[in-house]
Amino acid sequence: SSELTQDPAVSVALGQTVRITCQGDSLRSYYASWYQQKPGQAPVLVIYGKNNRPSGIPDRFSGSSSGNTASLTITGAQAEDEADYYCNSRDSSGNLNWVFGGGTKLTVL
Amino acid sequence: QVQLVQSGAEVKKPGASVKVSCKVSGYTLTELSMHWVRQAPGKGLEWMGGFDPEDGETIYAQKFQGRVTMTEDTSTDTAYMELSSLRSEDTAVYYCATVSLEAVTTFDYWGQGTLVTVSS
């Protein structure tokens, strides 16, 4: 299957820890990448590979994977983390297309 | 550091074509694998196609095959995405993005986006 499934919305209290998940068969073959998108802005890569952060991404962002599920964890969520988060990978079923999850809107309370 | 600068907003009539450009700086286009992703208003990200570094071919999402053409001008380090037979559902922000040299599934740099509005 080429689908990646994300919960549409998640909320977290300021300073608490939140996990955003992404499920799909392709995640058994490929690591997920994670992107943060704020209103009116282009997506920004926050996690890629096993658990890699691009330069400038705070270390409160981390990634993990198990079976067909990838997770993005924000430890000590800040107000500025409120955004949409998307996972992506490649379809492992044959056409090797790139694919995105539907996105998760994170609200920081 | 890669920088991607896209062309400005476009308004097109149904049935027309649009060509969006993406100028690369910091690297040459031949060093990169360029892709295009779009986002309809209030919706999620949708992969359209791009250069697959693993087999050296440009591939398109099935949804857009026959309507989209992605090209590159290496003399100016500019990538182009042309979408034809536009319909209202093609109204979206179109992004160019580069595949990471470290992880083939990852888009590490993004353009600022180009809004394409299809309206009669």
Side-chain angles (χ1 to χ4, degrees):
Chain A
S1 169
S2 61
E3 292 184 354
L4 294 177
T5 302
Q6 297 182 241
D7 291 328
V10 171
S11 61
V12 61
L14 184 67
Q16 296 303 300
T17 296
V18 63
R19 177 174 291 182
I20 298 170
T21 61
C22 174
Q23 286 189 304
D25 290 341
S26 64
L27 299 180
R28 297 184 186 277
S29 303
Y30 295 101
Y31 287 116
S33 302
W34 290 93
Y35 307 86
Q36 177 192 70
Q37 187 181 37
K38 296 182 179 179
Q41 297 183 19
V44 172
L45 176 67
V46 294
I47 290 288
Y48 67 98
K50 189 173 184 180
N51 181 20
N52 300 303
R53 282 177 290 107
S55 174
I57 301 302
D59 61 5
R60 63 179 179 271
F61 289 89
S62 63
S64 62
S65 184
S66 178
N68 73 336
T69 302
S71 300
L72 172 70
T73 300
I74 308 173
T75 304
Q78 301 300 301
E80 60 264 32
D81 299 334
E82 184 163 295
D84 294 326
Y85 290 85
Y86 294 91
C87 62
N88 98 287
S89 185
R90 285 191 79 167
D91 181 6
S92 60
S93 65
N95 59 26
L96 295 181
N97 285 353
W98 279 255
V99 62
F100 285 93
T104 297
K105 180 174 180 55
L106 176 67
T107 300
V108 180
L109 304 172
Chain B
Q1 182 83 352
V2 175
Q3 288 194 316
L4 306 176
V5 178
Q6 298 184 223
S7 48
E10 303 261 14
V11 179
K12 296 292 183 181
K13 294 192 181 301
S17 297
V18 68
K19 193 170 186 177
V20 179
S21 68
C22 175
K23 168 74 173 173
V24 175
S25 61
Y27 274 71
T28 65
L29 195 48
T30 56
E31 298 175 285
L32 303 170
S33 298
M34 189 68 73
H35 286 240
W36 293 85
V37 175
R38 79 176 186 179
Q39 186 172 36
K43 302 297 184 181
L45 301 173
E46 181 176 31
W47 177 77
M48 299 180 68
F51 184 80
D52 186 347
E54 294 191 324
D55 67 10
E57 300 287 333
T58 296
I59 61 173
Y60 302 124
Q62 185 172 8
K63 175 177 180 177
F64 300 103
Q65 284 182 3
R67 278 209 307 144
V68 70
T69 304
M70 296 173 187
T71 57
E72 297 180 351
D73 182 345
T74 55
S75 69
T76 60
D77 288 320
T78 303
Y80 298 92
M81 186 284 299
E82 184 170 19
L83 188 62
S84 62
S85 302
L86 291 169
R87 35 209 188 229
S88 59
E89 310 89 88
D90 294 317
T91 293
V93 175
Y94 290 76
Y95 295 101
C96 57
T98 57
V99 170
S100 169
L101 298 176
E102 296 179 50
V104 72
T105 61
T106 299
F107 299 113
D108 51 0
Y109 296 100
W110 295 69
Q112 83 276 19
T114 296
L115 175 62
V116 175
T117 303
V118 183
S119 174
S120 55

